[in-house]
């Protein structure tokens, strides 16, 4: 179970979430609809940071919120929502790649070319050999 915690937190951090946000989501997965105080207690993060983390998780669609009277309660959405986040990131990366394919030839054309001076580059280690090849 503890290994699952490390794995889900690592995955969320790979997706751009902070350590506090990942720990908060893990805590919410293990709780029913609860207050910030209970989430903070389980995650070991102070309430202010937990509340900020919850706001980010709500914006990402991983946490939902509801009010009962004056109190606000939070619950984790299904971990399957992580697939949606990955799809969105993939789409953003694809769009960035398309934009780069249009811009890089222009940037290369604008790049200052050496005027009669030799261009020397040094490569080291196996990565340098791979780059050359």
């Amino acid at each position: 179970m503890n290994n699952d915690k490390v794995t889900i937190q690592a995955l969320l951090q790979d997706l751009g979430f902070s350590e506090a946000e990942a720990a908060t989501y893990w805590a919410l997965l293990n709780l029913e609809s609860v207050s910030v105080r209970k989430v903070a207690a389980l995650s070991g993060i102070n309430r202010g940071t937990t509340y900020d983390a919850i706001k980010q998780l709500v914006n990402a669609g991983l946490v939902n919120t509801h009010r009962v009277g004056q109190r606000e309660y939070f619950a984790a959405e299904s971990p399957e929502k992580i697939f949606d986040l990955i799809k969105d990131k993939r789409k953003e990366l694809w769009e960035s790649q398309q934009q780069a394919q249009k811009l890089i030839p222009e940037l290369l054309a604008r790049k200052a070319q050496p005027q009669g001076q030799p261009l020397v580059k040094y490569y080291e280690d196996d990565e340098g050999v791979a780059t050359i090849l």
Side-chain angles (χ1 to χ4, degrees):
M1 183 87 133
N2 196 21
N3 193 27
D4 292 342
K5 175 182 178 181
V6 172
T7 305
I8 190 74
Q9 287 183 353
L11 173 62
L12 290 172
Q13 288 176 0
D14 287 347
L15 291 172
F17 291 97
S18 70
E19 188 176 331
E21 292 162 352
T24 299
Y25 183 70
W26 173 256
L28 283 165
L29 279 174
N30 291 286
L31 297 167
E32 298 284 326
S33 182
V34 294
S35 66
V36 171
R37 185 180 57 78
K38 288 184 181 178
V39 177
L42 182 62
S43 67
I45 300 170
N46 71 52
R47 276 191 287 181
T49 303
T50 299
Y51 189 72
D52 291 341
I54 287 174
K55 282 197 283 188
Q56 292 299 319
L57 293 167
V58 167
N59 289 337
L62 291 176
V63 171
N64 66 52
T65 179
H66 68 278
R67 281 195 181 275
V68 176
Q70 295 291 332
R71 292 197 157 213
E72 195 167 22
Y73 293 91
F74 305 95
E77 290 284 346
S78 169
E80 292 174 335
K81 292 275 187 177
I82 294 172
F83 286 125
D84 295 336
L85 293 175
I86 292 169
K87 287 177 190 174
D88 291 344
K89 287 231 182 246
R90 184 181 299 155
K91 181 180 176 188
E92 289 172 14
L93 285 172
W94 185 83
E95 289 170 355
S96 295
Q97 180 183 355
Q98 297 303 308
Q99 187 177 12
Q101 285 178 334
K102 292 176 186 174
L103 288 175
I104 288 185
E106 283 181 38
L107 296 173
L108 288 172
R110 290 180 184 203
K111 183 180 179 205
Q113 300 297 323
Q115 300 295 322
Q117 296 182 351
L119 178 63
V120 178
K121 292 185 179 182
Y122 294 96
Y123 296 97
E124 295 181 6
D125 302 326
D126 293 336
E127 289 180 26
V129 172
T131 301
I132 292 169
L133 295 175

